[in-house]
Every structure is written in structure tokens, then in C-alpha cells.
Amino acid sequence: MARLYDNADRALRYAKTIASDMVEYNKDALLKSLKEDNVWEALEEQVQQGREEFNARVTPEIAAMNIYERALVEVLLHRMQDRVKTPIWDAPE
């Protein structure tokens, strides 16, 4: 049986690995969805699959901390700001 992550820092690294894999294997779909401002809808299946994988490998306390969701925002959105020109980045705050 695989070890469960019970440390938030390690769980975050694991979540970022899942998100990075999502970028690598869905690069075209991600770039297109960023330009169309529909990332979560376009990658819904991959996001859910990643969430299930993450939750299966972390303790319930870690799963409740929204670490996976924060990793998705960082990897799928923030890291892409310099790589993709899209009106999303210019949205008013």
C-alpha cells in the first residue's frame, strides 16, 4: 500500500507534481482554455482525476486543507502568465 502524506509541505509538492503532469500531458488543451478563459471546464476530467489521486494519497486532515486546489492555481494559472497571452491576466481586480 502506498504511503499517505501527512505533512502539508510534502503534500503540496505532491499536488504540484500532479498539476505539472496535467500541464505536460494536456498542454494544447490548457493553452487553448487559457485563451478562452475556461480552464476549469476544459480540464474538468483531468482535474477530478488528479483530485482523486491526491486524496487517495493524503490523510483526511491534509485533504481538507485545499492544498490540491492551491497547487492547481499556481501551476495551471500563475506559472503560465509569462507563457500565454490572454485577456485573463488583464481582468480588473
Side-chain angles (χ1 to χ4, degrees):
M1 180 176 182
R3 184 182 110 191
L4 289 180
Y5 292 98
D6 60 357
N7 175 286
D9 291 331
R10 288 186 181 181
L12 179 59
R13 285 195 298 273
Y14 179 57
K16 287 181 180 180
T17 299
I18 294 170
S20 294
D21 286 350
M22 200 177 303
V23 170
E24 186 64 29
Y25 294 113
N26 300 283
K27 195 170 292 181
D28 292 338
L30 176 60
L31 294 174
K32 182 176 186 274
S33 68
L34 283 167
K35 291 175 184 174
E36 296 174 356
D37 192 12
N38 67 350
V39 172
W40 308 121
E41 295 84 0
L43 298 178
E44 181 178 6
E45 184 177 324
Q46 293 84 356
V47 167
Q48 183 57 34
Q49 182 180 358
R51 181 178 288 110
E52 290 170 7
E53 181 180 331
F54 179 79
N55 287 339
R57 296 283 310 273
V58 299
T59 62
E61 295 79 19
I62 294 292
M65 295 173 73
N66 297 320
I67 289 172
Y68 176 73
E69 289 73 14
R70 289 187 308 207
L72 288 179
V73 170
E74 181 180 331
V75 174
L76 298 182
L77 301 179
H78 289 242
R79 288 186 187 175
M80 300 302 286
Q81 284 184 325
D82 296 332
R83 296 169 42 179
V84 179
K85 182 163 176 55
T86 174
I88 298 171
W89 313 139
D90 299 327
E93 295 182 15

